């Protein structure tokens, strides 16, 4: 089985709802391992939890019966940890306390803080909090003119997990991504069968960022804001990107975000495919760009803006999306002139805007959407500006 994933961010709560949990303890050395009671770890924010946790993990992972590791209530310091599988039986990590990272970004040699790697039948839960202490990193000059941002540590990485559940966990102030699930052994980003469910995400970037190679993804019941919305992409920047296929975003709400539901691809870059994407039952409140396909995505003006995107978009639907737009351009579907969008559907759209610049409008380029139900604003009724405003 693939991963099911429930995520809440910055205060981000994650839930990877998976299929297996540990049912009881017993023979073969399983049972409950308390890192404080057994290994003498202290909740004093000074002693490094890394070694006690790794020793407990090694012991639990080697048992042939289901095992659980407990980090009790309290505040702990953890430098870094990679918890490797495969394990011989189902394994749980119950985090009840607060686990804090080093504040100094320069202390990390790799872009990761806590990694769970190659594990089957895993559960992370307990109501605890992972604090990446990212405020120091936020004070540094932005990524526009620097390449250090990609080397900053991700709070929680889930690499090659099968049948996993992350539930009732909060990740706060990550220095980079809060959570990064990776499925394929040979891929940097792709995941298959991930579910992000019933989560609250407040962050300074995309609430959920869906990269190349993502397949069979469901995002349901997410509350997003502040942030940049739920985004597929950006796509087409790198060579040999894998297709994005089968993404459903439903029953989600966005408040005071820069975008709502979005697909973004780079112009004049590499080829790619993105298909079978469905956004439905979405509520937007004061969102700058509630519905957006942007195939002229060009942050920091670092792109070939006069060329067309080579990413093919097809079979995309926006259904039952309602609320308010912070700007008049409530619907923007800007597709590639060389690879026009195919089979785009707008159904039951009701987005209003009140302001001195006029009511909500809809802009389209290189697309002929299929429309049904109520349409406010009227589809593709407004002209595109000569120089569209870049989106974050």
């Amino acid at each position: 089985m693939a991963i099911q994933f429930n995520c809440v961010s910055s205060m981000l709560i994650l839930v990877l709802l998976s299929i297996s949990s540990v049912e009881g303890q017993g023979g073969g050395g399983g049972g409950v391992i308390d890192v404080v009671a057994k290994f003498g770890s202290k909740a004093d924010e000074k002693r490094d939890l890394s070694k006690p946790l790794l020793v407990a993990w090694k012991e639990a992972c080697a048992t042939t019966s289901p095992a659980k590791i407990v980090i009790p209530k309290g505040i702990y310091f953890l430098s870094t940890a990679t918890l490797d599988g495969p394990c011989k039986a189902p394994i749980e990590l119950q985090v009840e306390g607060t686990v804090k990272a080093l504040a100094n970004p320069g202390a990390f040699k790799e872009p990761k803080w806590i990694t769970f790697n190659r594990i089957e039948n895993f559960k992370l839960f307990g109501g605890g909090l992972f604090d990446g202490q990212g405020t120091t990193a936020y004070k540094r000059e932005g990524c526009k003119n620097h390449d250090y941002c990609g080397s900053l540590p991700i709070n929680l990485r889930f690499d090659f997990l099968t049948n996993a559940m992350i539930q009732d966990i909060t990740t706060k102030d990550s220095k980079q991504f809060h959570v990064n699930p990776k499925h394929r052994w040979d891929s940097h980003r792709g995941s298959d069968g991930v579910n992000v469910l019933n989560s609250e995400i407040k962050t300074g970037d995309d609430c959920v960022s869906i990269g190349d190679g993502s397949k069979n993804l469901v995002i349901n019941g997410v509350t997003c804001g502040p942030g940049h919305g739920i985004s597929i992409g950006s796509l087409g920047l790198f060579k040999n990107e894998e297709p994005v296929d089968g993404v459903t975003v439903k029953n989600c709400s966005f408040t005071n975000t820069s975008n709502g539901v979005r697909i973004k691809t780079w112009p004049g870059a590499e080829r790619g495919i993105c298909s079978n994407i469905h956004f439905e039952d979405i509520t937007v409140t004061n969102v700058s760009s509630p519905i957006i396909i942007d195939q002229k995505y060009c942050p920091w003006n670092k792109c070939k803006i006069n060329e067309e995107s080579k990413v093919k978009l097809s079979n995309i639907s926006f259904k039952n999306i309602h609320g308010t737009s912070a700007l008049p351009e409530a619907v923007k579907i800007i597709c590639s002139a060389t690879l026009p969008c195919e089979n785009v559907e707008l159904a039951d759209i009701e987005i209003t805007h009140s302001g001195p610049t006029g009511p909500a409008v809809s802009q389209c380029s290189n697309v002929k959407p299929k429309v049904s139900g109520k349409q406010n604003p009227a589809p593709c009724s407004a002209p595109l500006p000569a120089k569209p405003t870049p989106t974050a």
Side-chain angles (χ1 to χ4, degrees), residues 236-361:
L237 181 59
F238 303 104
K239 290 184 178 181
N240 303 316
E241 289 185 356
E242 292 292 324
V244 176
D245 185 17
V247 177
T248 298
V249 179
K250 62 187 302 183
N251 299 319
C252 295
S253 63
F254 301 81
T255 303
N256 299 325
T257 54
S258 55
N259 305 285
V261 290
R262 172 169 65 158
I263 302 173
K264 51 182 176 177
T265 76
W266 291 81
E270 302 298 329
R271 296 185 179 276
I273 298 172
C274 178
S275 59
N276 301 312
I277 312 299
H278 305 292
F279 305 102
E280 57 186 275
D281 301 330
I282 303 296
T283 301
V284 293
T285 304
N286 197 43
V287 172
S288 296
S289 297
I291 296 174
I292 179 168
I293 293 177
D294 184 5
Q295 294 209 262
K296 289 285 188 179
Y297 179 70
C298 188
W300 314 310
N301 293 316
K302 289 188 175 182
C303 73
K304 300 175 182 177
I305 192 63
N306 294 321
E307 297 184 19
E308 298 298 323
S309 175
K310 300 174 185 176
V311 178
K312 179 65 176 179
L313 305 182
S314 62
N315 301 331
I316 301 164
S317 65
F318 302 91
K319 297 182 178 180
N320 190 28
I321 300 178
H322 61 276
T324 59
S325 177
L327 299 175
E329 299 81 10
V331 179
K332 291 190 284 189
I333 306 178
I334 313 303
C335 298
S336 169
T338 54
L339 292 170
C341 297
E342 292 185 355
N343 193 23
V344 175
E345 181 180 1
L346 296 170
D348 297 311
I349 307 299
E350 177 62 35
I351 303 174
T352 61
H353 170 74
S354 298
T357 52
V361 298

